[in-house]
Amino acid sequence: MNYYQDITLLPDADIALGFLWQKIYQQVHIALVEQKVDEQHSAIAVSFPSFGSNGFPLGNKLRVLAKEQAQLEKLNLAGFLSRFEDYTHLKSIQLVPESVSHVAFVRHRVKGQARIEKDMLSKAQIWSTKSGQSLELCLQQLEKSKPAADSKLPFIWMESLETKAKNLTGSAKFPLFIERVEVAGVREGQLNCYGLSAVRGEQIASVPHF
Amino acid sequence: MAKVKDIASVLAFEKKLVPSDGFFYGTTWDNKDQVTPLALQEKSVRGTISNRLKAAVKNDPAKLDAEVEKPNLQTVDACALGTEQDTLKHYFTLKILGGVETPSACNSAGFKASYQQAAKAYIEKEGFTELARRYAINIANARFLWRNRVGVEQIEVQVKVLNKDQTQSWIFDATQYSTRHFDYADKQLTELTDKIAQALAGGDTSLLLEIATFAQLGKAQEVYPSEELVLDKGKSKKSKVLYQVQGHAAMHSQKIGNALRSIDTWYPAFADQEKTAGPIAIEPYGAVTNLGTAFRTPKEKQDFYSHFDKWARGEALSRVEDEHYVMAILVRGGVFGESDK
């Protein structure tokens, strides 16, 4: 990642930063989808330079990074954010400074309460038929290792346009949890269309941090 | 002029910008005449049973299944355009009153006299044009749409004078007016400014405006009426309640008033890129609850009372901007009496 462009979110007196993040990140996501390199991968990354700040935990800056200047020019963030001129400030494309540290941003999947209950019940049912124990005993055993539904990670509410198109009455909103992972040096990996590292572990994709 | 030591323990000003509630309609950009009132929808978010179950239920798988399938509903209010509607119509009226030089209650004749002199001097000198221009821009840029304004395709603000025998009207393209500064002065704006300034400066006259705003959001998009503060949380099953007037989704008049008086760019941190909050609402301590910050602290002597106590007793303020600020607070209205102890 050699070039970057910063988007600053300008909170109005009564328009909360969290609400702006929803709107802006949705636009950036759409822009990344239009430039995707295959079914679900993007060549362009995002980073959150003020991740973990006081107040809103993602801070008020979103950085978009690419290997080539032309990629960012083609992405045309100015066009995608033109309707948000009063609420954002878009800087020009700049060269990433030399000697920077590296971090990775990964999407963290958190199961909701409903999903946890459902998984637990089906697990208990399978176990109960296999072992011959009563369902109630199995549930009791599983209760011990039951995961909690909460996560302390910062998230952005996103809306799935695909789900929304299929299902007009229901809500298609979901929280996109974002985790920052410290990495030792540059790591080459694939990015998803949220600009986050597509996988963790060995093939994690890092971004310069400055 | 010598400093007058009069103290007014009872001192109140009525508000001079009086908006109605804002009402929400759904319509289409191509046919703005056909509107339908928007109603709130109750949405149920489905959760599941997770509390401890009774023994009788726990030991019977069939009963447990039934119990787990039973949804644990959380109800919230929501409001959205219809599937065939792409435009939100927001409608309110605004009354603008004059007579700011007369407090609605004041128990000290000496204070009242010195205050009136200062107020009249201001009106004579400034004629309210600076404040009126800022109020007019806040109408033209549709700031009062609040969150409904973020990311909108097109916005049109139609302003009409409703006073008897007057037929003036204006149409503004709100996307041409930023909410971050007030450097505009075109012909339409000047006309509206003059109207507002005349009403504010003109004793017992009043101006009534009708303001209809069309915001093209996209089909079936969510819109944001005011959220109600639920005081008896225990009794209510709903976790979010939105404002409605007899089934018609609406925005609190206070919220509209707050947007219209968001003209304060004179507070110390405004020019500071890191700390600025853009134009903030006119408030005695520059309070912005959302950011948890008071931008005008008595410590820096930038709050209303520090300025007002000097100014109303005949002392000149160092900047004309401070005078604008003090007058804007008085236009906002409130109770400003000081302890006589």
Side-chain angles (χ1 to χ4, degrees):
Chain A
M1 298 295 159
N2 304 319
Y3 291 88
Y4 75 99
Q5 198 169 8
D6 274 351
I7 304 166
T8 309
L9 280 62
L10 308 169
D12 237 79
D14 203 64
I15 295 173
L17 212 41
F19 180 79
L20 277 186
W21 269 105
Q22 277 176 46
K23 296 278 178 182
I24 304 300
Y25 204 60
Q26 190 89 37
Q27 285 304 104
V28 172
H29 170 54
I30 293 171
L32 292 182
V33 168
E34 296 216 339
Q35 299 296 320
K36 63 186 175 185
V37 286
D38 61 33
E39 257 316 286
Q40 41 188 323
H41 293 106
S42 155
I44 295 161
V46 303
S47 82
F48 306 87
S50 37
F51 189 94
S53 65
N54 293 334
F56 195 74
L58 291 171
N60 67 344
K61 266 202 174 64
L62 178 63
R63 181 171 290 157
V64 182
L65 301 111
K67 280 213 173 67
E68 311 292 337
Q69 180 163 8
Q71 288 174 306
L72 286 178
E73 278 162 9
K74 205 173 163 210
L75 185 67
N76 184 21
L77 281 178
F80 279 94
L81 297 176
S82 66
R83 292 191 277 124
F84 297 88
E85 266 167 18
D86 286 346
Y87 309 97
T88 57
H89 181 74
L90 183 67
K91 286 213 179 121
S92 59
I93 299 170
Q94 293 184 31
L95 199 62
V96 169
E98 281 174 46
S99 71
V100 287
S101 60
H102 286 81
V103 292
F105 291 95
V106 192
R107 175 173 180 190
H108 188 82
R109 289 178 187 271
V110 179
K111 279 185 188 172
Q113 193 65 43
R115 182 61 180 271
I116 290 172
E117 297 289 339
K118 207 176 138 205
D119 284 359
M120 207 167 99
L121 189 70
S122 64
K123 223 178 188 178
Q125 269 161 349
I126 294 169
W127 192 21
S128 147
T129 39
K130 265 192 180 165
S131 64
Q133 286 171 315
S134 75
L135 183 66
E136 115 100 339
L137 203 69
C138 296
L139 272 176
Q140 240 171 34
Q141 285 294 318
L142 284 176
E143 188 77 33
K144 287 175 196 159
S145 58
K146 184 177 172 184
D150 62 330
S151 168
K152 293 260 184 311
L153 289 173
F155 62 86
I156 304 171
W157 279 106
M158 299 291 286
E159 194 165 30
S160 164
L161 299 179
E162 253 178 82
T163 314
K164 200 182 168 189
K166 274 185 242 158
N167 159 19
L168 277 175
T169 48
S171 156
K173 284 194 174 154
F174 64 93
L176 179 80
F177 286 90
I178 296 165
E179 188 183 357
R180 183 167 72 180
V181 180
E182 305 297 327
V183 293
V186 185
R187 304 288 286 270
E188 293 287 340
Q190 285 192 307
L191 298 153
N192 62 22
C193 287
Y194 296 107
L196 305 171
S197 175
V199 281
R200 315 170 62 97
E202 283 300 296
Q203 287 123 39
I204 203 164
S206 71
V207 287
H209 181 63
F210 53 97
Chain B
M1 188 196 294
K3 193 171 171 181
V4 190
K5 281 260 182 312
D6 289 304
I7 285 174
S9 60
V10 175
L11 180 65
F13 290 85
E14 64 175 358
K15 61 170 177 266
K16 302 300 181 193
L17 295 182
V18 194
S20 71
D21 278 340
F23 293 96
F24 282 49
Y25 301 84
T27 178
T28 53
W29 188 258
D30 297 325
N31 185 8
K32 296 192 188 71
D33 291 333
Q34 203 170 29
V35 298
T36 48
L38 290 181
L40 300 183
Q41 302 148 10
E42 238 179 36
K43 255 191 199 175
S44 294
V45 185
R46 203 186 141 116
T48 47
I49 298 290
S50 51
N51 53 321
R52 270 178 198 282
L53 300 172
K54 289 189 212 97
V57 179
K58 277 202 290 194
N59 298 330
D60 183 341
K63 267 191 196 160
L64 182 66
D65 269 358
E67 196 69 20
V68 172
E69 271 168 19
K70 214 191 280 171
N72 171 19
L73 295 180
Q74 274 176 324
T75 315
V76 294
D77 274 344
C79 188
L81 297 175
T83 45
E84 289 312 312
Q85 297 171 334
D86 66 352
T87 299
L88 167 72
K89 180 185 176 189
H90 176 279
Y91 176 92
F92 71 102
T93 58
L94 175 66
K95 195 192 271 180
I96 299 160
L97 305 166
V100 79
E101 62 275 21
T102 318
S104 60
C106 179
N107 66 348
S108 160
F111 181 88
K112 193 173 172 184
S114 72
Y115 161 72
Q116 280 188 325
Q117 196 167 13
K120 278 181 182 148
Y122 175 86
I123 294 170
E124 212 159 283
K125 185 166 60 124
E126 299 291 334
F128 273 114
T129 44
E130 181 60 25
L131 297 188
R133 195 169 61 85
R134 289 174 179 237
Y135 297 136
I137 291 170
N138 276 344
I139 293 171
N141 69 15
R143 187 192 293 275
F144 48 81
L145 289 182
W146 291 105
R147 291 204 280 169
N148 299 299
R149 190 184 182 282
V150 179
V152 147
E153 205 92 36
Q154 304 184 65
I155 319 175
E156 183 177 303
V157 185
Q158 301 178 351
V159 184
K160 214 165 109 186
V161 179
L162 286 189
N163 290 48
K164 225 177 163 186
D165 306 329
Q166 295 195 49
T167 53
Q168 266 170 299
S169 66
W170 303 271
I171 293 176
F172 296 97
D173 174 1
T175 54
Q176 298 306 307
Y177 300 91
S178 166
T179 55
R180 318 284 316 177
H181 65 83
F182 294 103
D183 305 332
Y184 297 103
D186 55 64
K187 183 173 163 280
Q188 292 214 78
L189 212 52
T190 314
E191 285 174 18
L192 181 57
T193 301
D194 288 347
K195 269 281 179 214
I196 296 173
Q198 275 168 26
L200 284 172
D204 52 2
T205 57
S206 77
L207 172 70
L208 187 62
L209 298 176
E210 176 191 73
I211 296 156
T213 308
F214 296 88
Q216 191 182 19
L217 299 168
K219 273 184 186 166
Q221 283 293 308
E222 188 172 4
V223 296
Y224 306 95
S226 286
E227 197 164 326
E228 291 275 56
L229 181 63
V230 182
L231 293 171
D232 55 343
K233 274 244 161 78
K235 285 181 210 156
S236 164
K237 276 184 195 152
K238 252 189 237 178
S239 44
K240 181 161 141 196
V241 180
L242 298 180
Y243 183 49
Q244 58 180 347
V245 180
Q246 292 165 344
H248 191 171
M251 187 181 269
H252 291 152
S253 58
Q254 286 86 344
K255 203 163 168 68
I256 294 175
N258 186 292
L260 294 179
R261 66 169 194 273
S262 290
I263 60 168
D264 187 357
T265 58
W266 308 304
Y267 59 96
F270 179 75
D272 186 333
Q273 275 230 322
E274 289 294 307
K275 290 187 198 143
T276 185
I280 60 171
I282 289 290
E283 289 292 330
Y285 295 106
V288 178
T289 8
N290 186 297
L291 301 174
T293 315
F295 284 97
R296 290 176 171 272
T297 55
K299 209 176 135 203
E300 295 171 289
K301 297 254 179 266
Q302 285 300 322
D303 64 313
F304 167 66
Y305 297 103
S306 302
H307 288 316
F308 183 64
D309 289 349
K310 277 201 246 165
W311 179 77
R313 291 190 171 92
E315 233 180 286
L317 296 179
S318 54
R319 306 185 309 161
V320 65
E321 287 85 357
D322 294 336
E323 289 184 30
H324 291 325
Y325 168 68
V326 168
M327 282 316 273
I329 290 269
L330 301 176
V331 168
R332 164 195 180 270
V335 179
F336 306 120
E338 53 187 319
S339 164
D340 46 4
K341 278 174 209 153

